[in-house]
C-alpha cells in the first residue's frame, strides 16, 4: 500500500545565549534581571525534494526592582520585553513560476509566491504542497506589580499586569491556491450524475477537473494590535497549625485584536442565516442589520472574574495523612490571534473563495478560482458576541506516608469547560438531498462560543523519597473527557467543523485529549556527592563512580481518539473534511492482515442523510516514550562549576505511531500516517561562574 519511500531529513541549527544578574542596592532595594537570545535556522525538505528554509531569531529581556518597606511588607515592579522574527522562504520563491508556466490563472503570481498550487487526493495519493512565504515580527512589552503583606497568620499578595502585543505579518494565507480531487466531478462529467466518490481522483487531476478550489490572498502586510491586563489578590491564611486556607480572586482581560489600518472583514448576518454581507472594520456599520461593530468586529469581554480557593488539612496531629483540595476558574485570553488572521484575508479587501465544481460553476486547473453567485466570497465569519472560554477546575487528594520512605497519594480531578469554540457551515445539507433553501448563502464557516466540555480523572501516585541517592515516582491516571467543541481536529489540518449545522449536539463525543489510561514512571539515581569533582579528564576515573546523576522518564498510555472521515464535498461549499461515513456494524479492530483498522466497518453515507459514525469514535495506537539523561557537575573552584549533561529523547529508538489514517476511501486507511521522532541525543556543557 505504500509504493513510494524517500528519507526526509531536515536540518536545524540553533544558537542561544542567556544572562542573569542580581544586585543588592542600598536602603532595602534589590535589582535583578535576565536577557536571552535564540537564533534558529531550519531547512525542511518534503517528499518531492522542495527545500523550504526558515530563519528565526528572538530576544527576551526583563528587569525587576524590589523595595522593602517593612520586614512584613515589600513590593516588586517589573518590566518584560520580547521580540521575535521569523522568515520562511519556499523552494520556488524567485526561482520558478510553476503556476504561470502551467497556465493556471487567478492566483497570486508575484515572485515571492511562485510555486505550484496545493493538490489533495482522496484515495491516498500523496498531495503536492509547499510552504507559503512569510515574514512575522512579534513584539510584547509588559509591566507588572506585586505587593506582599504579611500579618500574623495572613500572607496577602495583590497586584496586576499589563501587556501590549504587536503581531506584524507579511504573508498570504493561500496565495497559490488549493485544489482537491475526490473523483466526484470526474464521474459527473462522464455520466452527468453527481455521485460522490465513484470516480477517480487522479483521473480528475489528469483531466484537469478538480472537485473544489480555494484561494486567499491580498493585504499581505498586516499589523495586529492587542492588550492584555489582569489584577489579582490572594491570601494564604494559616487558620490553625493543621489547616491552611488559600483564597484568591483574579480578573483577566484580553482585548479583541485590531488591525492598524482596519483591514478586518466579518459578515453581517440576518437571523436564520438568510442573508449575509461583508462588514469592514473601517466602516463598522452592518449593511443588513444596521448594527454598529467595534474596530475589532467582535465585542470585548470584560466580565472575566476568576475566584480560586484551596486548602490543606492534617486531620490528625499524630498522623501523616494530609487532605488537599481546590477550585479555580481559568480564562483563555489567547483565542483572538487565529480569529484575526482569518478575518484579515477576506473579500472585499482580499481575493478569497472556497467553491465546489458544479454545472453552474465548472472548475478546471486552468480556470479554477471562479467565484460562484451561489457561494459567498467570504470563507469565515465570527459571531460578534463571541466570548472568551473558561474552565472550572477542581480537585481533592489524600496523601499518607508508608514505610520504607514511600508516600502514596490518591487524587480526583475534574474540569468543566464553558464557551468553547464551535464551528459549522450554515445552510448546508447532505449529499443527495434537495437544497432546502437555494437562495440562502453558503460557503463560509461560522465560529461561535457555545461549546462545552467535561473531564473527570482519578489518579494514584506512589513516590519514594530521596534515599541512598535514589528517588522514584509512579503515577497512574484513569480519565474520561467529552466535548462538543471545535478543539482542533487531529490530523485534519485545522479546526474541526461540525458535520450537521442543525444538530451540533451530535458532535458531543470523546475529546481529542481523551487518553483513558496513562502510566508515568520517573526515576533518578545519584552515585554520590564529592567535595571536589576534579577536572573532566584528570578526575575521570573517580568520576565514573561519584557524583553522576542518571534519570529516566517512561510514559505509556492508550491511544487518542480519531474521527472517521468520508472525503466528499459538503454541498454548496468547498469543504471536504467534515462528512463522516456510515458505520456498518462490522468490528472495527478486527482488521485484515497488514492493517490496524477494518475498512469494512464503514461505508459511504446513505444519500440524503449525514453519516452516522460518531466523532472521535476510533481509538488510535497506544503511546509509549522513554527519555533518559546523564549528568554531572564538576567543581573547578569556589565560584566556577562545569556542568555536563547528556539527554536522550526516545532512548530506546522505539517507533511509535501517533494515529492511523482515518479517511475511509483512502488506500492507506487503517495504516499509520506518521511516526513520532526517533532517538535524538543532546550533549550540553554549561560553565557557571
Amino acid at each position: 500500500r505504500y509504493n513510494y519511500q524517500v528519507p526526509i531529513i531536515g536540518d536545524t541549527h540553533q544558537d542561544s545565549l542567556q544572562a542573569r544578574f542580581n544586585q543588592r542596592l542600598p536602603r532595602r532595594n534589590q535589582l535583578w534581571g535576565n536577557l536571552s537570545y535564540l537564533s534558529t535556522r531550519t531547512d525542511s525538505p518534503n517528499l518531492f525534494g522542495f527545500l523550504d528554509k526558515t530563519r528565526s531569531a528572538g530576544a527576551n529581556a526583563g528587569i525587576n526592582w524590589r523595595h522593602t518597606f517593612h520586614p512584613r511588607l515589600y513590593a516588586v515592579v517589573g518590566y518584560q520585553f520580547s521580540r521575535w522574527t521569523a522568515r520562511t522562504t519556499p523552494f520556488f520563491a524567485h526561482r520558478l513560476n510553476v503556476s504561470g508556466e502551467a497556465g493556471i490563472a487567478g492566483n497570486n503570481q508575484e515572485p515571492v509566491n511562485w510555486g505550484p498550487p496545493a493538490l489533495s487526493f482522496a484515495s491516498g495519493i500523496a498531495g503536492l504542497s509547499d510552504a507559503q512565504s512569510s515574514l512575522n515580527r512579534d513584539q510584547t512589552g509588559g509591566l507588572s506589580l506585586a505587593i506582599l503583606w504579611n500579618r500574623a497568620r495572613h500572607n496577602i499578595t495583590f497586584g496586576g499586569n499589563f501587556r501590549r502585543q504587536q503581531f506584524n505579518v507579511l504573508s498570504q494565507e493561500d496565495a497559490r491556491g488549493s485544489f482537491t480531487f475526490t473523483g466526484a466531478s470526474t464521474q459527473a462529467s462522464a455520466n452527468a450524475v453527481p455521485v460522490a466518490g465513484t470516480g477517480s481522483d487522479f483521473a480528475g487531476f489528469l483531466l484537469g477537473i478538480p472537485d473544489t478550489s480555494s484561494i486567499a490572498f491580498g493585504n499581505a502586510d498586516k499589523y495586529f494590535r492587542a492588550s492584555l491586563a489582569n489584577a489579582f489578590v490572594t491570601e494564604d491564611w494559616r487558620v490553625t497549625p493543621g489547616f491552611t486556607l488559600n483564597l484568591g480572586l483574579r480578573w483577566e482581560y484580553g482585548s479583541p485584536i485590531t488591525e492598524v489600518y482596519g483591514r478586518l472583514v466579518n459578515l453581517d448576518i440576518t437571523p436564520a442565516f438568510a442573508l449575509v454581507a461583508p462588514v469592514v472594520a473601517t466602516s463598522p456599520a452592518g449593511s443588513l442589520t444596521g448594527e454598529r461593530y467595534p474596530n475589532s468586529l467582535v465585542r470585548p469581554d470584560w466580565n472575566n472574574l476568576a475566584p480560586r480557593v484551596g486548602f490543606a488539612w492534617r486531620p490528625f496531629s499524630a498522623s501523616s495523612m494530609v487532605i488537599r483540595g481546590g477550585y479555580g476558574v481559568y480564562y483563555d485570553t489567547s483565542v483572538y490571534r487565529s480569529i484575526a488572521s482569518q478575518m484579515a484575508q477576506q473579500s472585499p479587501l482580499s481575493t478569497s473563495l472556497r467553491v465546489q465544481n458544479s454545472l453552474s460553476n465548472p472548475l478546471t486547473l486552468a480556470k479554477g478560482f471562479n467565484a460562484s453567485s451561489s457561494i459567498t466570497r467570504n470563507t469565515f465569519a465570527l459571531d460578534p458576541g463571541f466570548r472568551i472560554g473558561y474552565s472550572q477546575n477542581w480537585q481533592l487528594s489524600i496523601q499518607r506516608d508508608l514505610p520504607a520512605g514511600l508516600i502514596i497519594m490518591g487524587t480526583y480531578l475534574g474540569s468543566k469547560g464553558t464557551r468553547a469554540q464551535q464551528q459549522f457551515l450554515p445552510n448546508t445539507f447532505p449529499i443527495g438531498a434537495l437544497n432546502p433553501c437555494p437562495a440562502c448563502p453558503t460557503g463560509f464557516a461560522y465560529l461561535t462560543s457555545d461549546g462545552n466540555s467535561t473531564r473527570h480523572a482519578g489518579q494514584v501516585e506512589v513516590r519514594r523519597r530521596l534515599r541512598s541517592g535514589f528517588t522514584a515516582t509512579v503515577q497512574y491516571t484513569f480519565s474520561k473527557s467529552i466535548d462538543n467543541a471545535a478543539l482542533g481536529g487531529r490530523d485534519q489540518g485545522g479546526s474541526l467543523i461540525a458535520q450537521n449545522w442543525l444538530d451540533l449536539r451530535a458532535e458531543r463525543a470523546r475529546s481529542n485529549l481523551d487518553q483513558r489510561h496513562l502510566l508515568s514512571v520517573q526515576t533518578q539515581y545519584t552515585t554520590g556527592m564529592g567535595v571536589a569533582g576534579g577536572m573532566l579528564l584528570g578526575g575521570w576515573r573517580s568520576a565514573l563512580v561519584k557524583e553522576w546523576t542518571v534519570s529516566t522518564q517512561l510514559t505509556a498510555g492508550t491511544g487518542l481518539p480519531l474521527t472517521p472521515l468520508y472525503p466528499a464535498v459538503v454541498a454548496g461549499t468547498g469543504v471536504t473534511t467534515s462528512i463522516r461515513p456510515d458505520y456498518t456494524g462490522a468490528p472495527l479492530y478486527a482488521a485484515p492482515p497488514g492493517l490496524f483498522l477494518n475498512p469494512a466497518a464503514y461505508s459511504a453515507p446513505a444519500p440524503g442523510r449525514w453519516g452516522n459514525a460518531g466523532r472521535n469514535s476510533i481509538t488510535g495506537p497506544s503511546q509509549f516514550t522513554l527519555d533518559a539523561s546523564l549528568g554531572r557537575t564538576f567543581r573547578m573552584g569556589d565560584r566556577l562549576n562545569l556542568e555536563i549533561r547528556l539527554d536522550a529523547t526516545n532512548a530506546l529508538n522505539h517507533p511509535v505511531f501517533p494515529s492511523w489514517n482515518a479517511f475511509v476511501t483512502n488506500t492507506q486507511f487503517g495504516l499509520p500516517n506518521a511516526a513520532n521522532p526517533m532517538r535524538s541525543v543532546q550533549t550540553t556543557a554549561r560553565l557557571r561562574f
Side-chain angles (χ1 to χ4, degrees), residues 168-211:
N168 303 304
V169 180
L170 181 62
S171 71
Q172 309 283 8
E173 183 178 339
D174 188 9
R176 298 186 297 271
S178 303
F179 295 106
T180 300
F181 301 87
T182 66
S185 298
T186 310
Q187 182 70 14
S189 331
N191 300 339
V193 178
V195 181
T198 56
S200 166
D201 56 357
F202 193 67
F205 167 67
L206 296 177
L207 295 172
I209 305 176
D211 293 274

Side-chain angles (χ1 to χ4, degrees), residues 74-232:
Y74 67 84
V76 177
V77 178
Y79 177 76
Q80 298 80 36
F81 175 84
S82 65
R83 183 174 178 84
W84 177 77
T85 302
R87 180 188 294 273
T88 298
T89 305
F91 177 74
F92 290 99
H94 296 278
R95 179 181 300 196
L96 181 63
N97 187 0
V98 179
S99 293
E101 295 192 9
I104 297 174
N107 57 2
N108 186 291
Q109 295 184 10
E110 296 177 356
V112 70
N113 292 315
W114 280 355
L119 307 178
S120 301
F121 300 90
S123 67
I125 295 173
L128 176 69
S129 64
D130 197 17
Q132 299 285 335
S133 175
S134 66
L135 173 60
N136 296 332
R137 292 158 295 169
D138 299 345
Q139 180 175 303
T140 300
L143 211 68
S144 62
L145 169 66
I147 299 175
L148 178 74
W149 179 38
N150 173 261
R151 181 178 176 83
R153 297 179 179 179
H154 301 270
N155 291 307
I156 301 174
T157 305
F158 58 92
N161 181 286
F162 176 81
R163 284 179 290 163
R164 182 63 176 170
Q165 297 178 319
Q166 299 183 17
F167 307 112
N168 303 304
V169 180
L170 181 62
S171 71
Q172 309 283 8
E173 183 178 339
D174 188 9
R176 298 186 297 271
S178 303
F179 295 106
T180 300
F181 301 87
T182 66
S185 298
T186 310
Q187 182 70 14
S189 331
N191 300 339
V193 178
V195 181
T198 56
S200 166
D201 56 357
F202 193 67
F205 167 67
L206 296 177
L207 295 172
I209 305 176
D211 293 274
T212 68
S213 69
S214 63
I215 196 167
F217 69 90
N219 294 327
D221 58 323
K222 310 168 187 72
Y223 305 94
F224 299 130
R225 300 293 183 265
S227 298
L228 298 173
N230 64 67
F232 65 90

Side-chain angles (χ1 to χ4, degrees), residues 278-291:
V279 55
V280 184
T282 52
S283 303
S287 59
L288 296 175
T289 62
E291 182 176 357

Side-chain angles (χ1 to χ4, degrees), residues 536-592:
L536 181 61
L537 297 179
W540 181 256
R541 184 178 300 275
S542 62
L544 292 176
V545 294
K546 295 174 61 178
E547 296 189 41
W548 287 94
T549 298
V550 181
S551 62
T552 62
Q553 179 171 340
L554 181 149
T555 303
T558 52
L560 295 166
L562 301 167
T563 299
L565 293 173
Y566 184 76
V569 183
V570 180
T573 74
V575 178
T576 60
T577 58
S578 61
I579 294 179
R580 299 194 287 270
D582 277 341
Y583 177 58
T584 64
L588 176 60
Y589 303 105

Side-chain angles (χ1 to χ4, degrees), residues 339-387:
I339 291 173
S341 297
Q342 295 180 82
M343 290 198 296
Q345 207 84 73
Q346 296 282 302
S347 175
L349 302 183
S350 300
T351 299
S352 62
L353 57 86
R354 185 167 56 196
V355 296
Q356 177 186 11
N357 196 340
S358 63
L359 295 177
S360 60
N361 187 37
L363 302 178
T364 65
L365 283 176
K367 297 181 179 180
F369 305 113
N370 303 328
S372 172
S373 59
S374 61
I375 297 180
T376 175
R377 289 176 178 262
N378 297 69
T379 60
F380 174 79
L382 175 71
D383 178 3
F386 180 91
R387 302 189 68 186

Side-chain angles (χ1 to χ4, degrees), residues 241-491:
F243 185 78
T244 299
L245 189 63
N246 191 284
L247 302 171
L249 182 64
R250 185 180 180 89
W251 171 79
E252 291 190 79
Y253 172 70
S255 71
I257 291 180
T258 60
E259 207 273 334
V260 171
Y261 300 103
R263 292 175 295 183
L264 299 178
V265 181
N266 200 3
L267 287 178
D268 190 40
I269 302 174
T270 61
F273 296 92
L275 295 172
V276 301
V279 55
V280 184
T282 52
S283 303
S287 59
L288 296 175
T289 62
E291 182 176 357
R292 188 168 185 84
Y293 299 92
N295 292 337
S296 61
L297 300 182
V298 56
R299 302 184 190 96
D301 187 1
W302 295 90
N303 302 317
N304 298 326
L305 285 175
R308 296 170 191 179
V309 60
F311 71 90
W313 178 38
R314 188 186 297 274
F316 310 107
S317 58
S319 172
S320 63
M321 178 185 293
V322 179
I323 301 174
R324 298 182 178 91
Y327 169 84
V329 177
Y330 302 86
Y331 285 88
D332 181 10
T333 58
S334 61
V335 297
Y336 293 119
R337 174 74 185 271
S338 61
I339 291 173
S341 297
Q342 295 180 82
M343 290 198 296
Q345 207 84 73
Q346 296 282 302
S347 175
L349 302 183
S350 300
T351 299
S352 62
L353 57 86
R354 185 167 56 196
V355 296
Q356 177 186 11
N357 196 340
S358 63
L359 295 177
S360 60
N361 187 37
L363 302 178
T364 65
L365 283 176
K367 297 181 179 180
F369 305 113
N370 303 328
S372 172
S373 59
S374 61
I375 297 180
T376 175
R377 289 176 178 262
N378 297 69
T379 60
F380 174 79
L382 175 71
D383 178 3
F386 180 91
R387 302 189 68 186
I388 293 175
Y390 65 91
S391 174
Q392 304 175 70
N393 297 347
W394 58 91
Q395 66 175 11
L396 181 66
S397 68
I398 301 177
Q399 175 184 310
R400 186 185 178 107
D401 291 351
L402 297 177
L406 298 178
I407 303 173
I408 186 170
M409 181 164 51
T411 306
Y412 160 72
L413 304 102
S415 67
K416 174 70 170 67
T418 306
R419 300 184 198 157
Q421 298 181 41
Q422 282 186 319
Q423 198 166 14
F424 56 87
L425 301 167
N427 299 317
T428 53
F429 52 93
I431 299 173
L434 294 177
N435 189 345
C437 184
C440 291
T442 59
F444 63 96
Y446 189 71
L447 182 65
T448 69
S449 53
D450 297 328
N452 59 79
S453 64
T454 59
R455 182 179 186 268
H456 300 278
Q459 192 174 88
V460 177
E461 179 181 300
V462 178
R463 184 168 70 249
R464 185 185 190 274
R465 289 191 175 96
L466 182 62
R467 184 176 179 183
S468 300
F470 179 73
T471 181
T473 301
V474 179
Q475 185 183 89
Y476 168 74
T477 304
F478 175 79
S479 64
K480 184 176 182 180
S481 177
I482 58 176
D483 66 60
N484 64 350
L487 301 180
R490 295 182 66 244
D491 304 308

